[in-house]
Amino acid sequence: MQNRPRTTRARRFRVPTAILLTCAALGVAGGALLAPANWISTILFPGLPFVSVGLAGLWLLPSVIALRLLRRPLVGLLVGLLAGLVIVPFSGYGFSSVATNLWWAAFTELPFLFVLWRHWGTWLHYLGAAIVGIVYPVLAWASFNLGSFELPLQITFFAVTLASCLGATALGILIADRLRRAGVGARLPR
């Protein structure tokens, strides 16, 4: 039997093993970070909601690192999925942790989706962080009972969430850039 060359279509959707292994490592590391952050945030939620939401940006960190380091479509979602699966046995929320991680990872992918993953500018990472930093407090309005707060506290809540998301994104970019300088991801096929 002769070996036939693969079609260009098959090559187009092929994901190299090195990419998958890098995503797996980032997902496990992200899960190791998010497991304790999940418990800390849950414990702080009733009495110190501002501190709890100050940790929100951590859920962006694994996906931002993956996207910045690998510059491939959907690696942010893959890393978010893997991090969510890692924390399932350590979370009091079970498999809903996977959905939560995918939700946060989707915002890291969203700006790159709009440009069809053709541009990898740093500003796109920050755009995703800014969007989720505004959307999350709106969607969590009832959970945090933000309507009971005075307007200055509501504004502070939004500001803390936004700062957390932007700060975690900056940290993710820094980590990814340092990993690349150390040789991680440098030889991955494009």
Side-chain angles (χ1 to χ4, degrees), residues 41-61:
S41 179
T42 301
I43 291 167
L44 295 175
F45 173 78
L48 299 168
F50 286 83
V51 178
S52 174
V53 81
L55 300 174
L58 292 177
W59 274 260
L60 298 173
L61 193 58

Side-chain angles (χ1 to χ4, degrees), residues 27 63 75-87 97-99 101-102 105:
S63 298
V75 295
L77 283 173
L78 177 58
V79 168
L81 170 70
L82 294 171
L85 290 171
V86 167
I87 69 172
S97 297
V98 176
N101 279 23
L102 284 172

Side-chain angles (χ1 to χ4, degrees), residues 92-106:
Y93 301 105
F95 280 98
S96 68
S97 297
V98 176
T100 298
N101 279 23
L102 284 172
W103 187 86
W104 285 94

Side-chain angles (χ1 to χ4, degrees), residues 9-180:
R9 186 175 190 170
R11 284 186 200 150
R12 186 187 209 172
F13 295 109
R14 203 181 86 198
V15 179
T17 304
I19 298 285
L20 294 174
L21 289 173
T22 304
C23 287
L26 292 172
V28 170
L33 169 77
L34 293 175
N38 189 40
W39 280 105
I40 292 167
S41 179
T42 301
I43 291 167
L44 295 175
F45 173 78
L48 299 168
F50 286 83
V51 178
S52 174
V53 81
L55 300 174
L58 292 177
W59 274 260
L60 298 173
L61 193 58
S63 298
V64 169
I65 294 170
L67 284 164
R68 178 71 172 198
L69 180 65
L70 302 174
R71 296 181 183 194
R72 291 287 185 115
L74 305 176
V75 295
L77 283 173
L78 177 58
V79 168
L81 170 70
L82 294 171
L85 290 171
V86 167
I87 69 172
V88 165
F90 308 108
S91 165
Y93 301 105
F95 280 98
S96 68
S97 297
V98 176
T100 298
N101 279 23
L102 284 172
W103 187 86
W104 285 94
F107 285 96
T108 64
E109 284 284 350
L110 191 61
F112 297 101
L113 168 65
F114 285 131
V115 295
L116 299 174
W117 296 280
R118 294 189 198 281
H119 305 285
W120 295 96
T122 302
W123 69 276
L124 289 167
H125 292 287
Y126 288 110
L127 178 62
I131 292 169
V132 74
I134 294 167
V135 169
Y136 178 67
V138 170
L139 295 178
W141 188 273
S143 298
F144 285 97
N145 196 18
L146 290 178
S148 68
F149 293 135
E150 297 292 325
L151 182 61
L153 285 177
Q154 291 173 350
I155 292 169
T156 303
F157 190 88
F158 274 81
V160 168
T161 306
L162 186 60
S164 175
C165 292
L166 293 172
T169 298
L171 180 60
I173 290 168
L174 176 69
I175 291 169
D177 289 349
R178 295 244 170 116
L179 285 171
R180 182 167 292 287

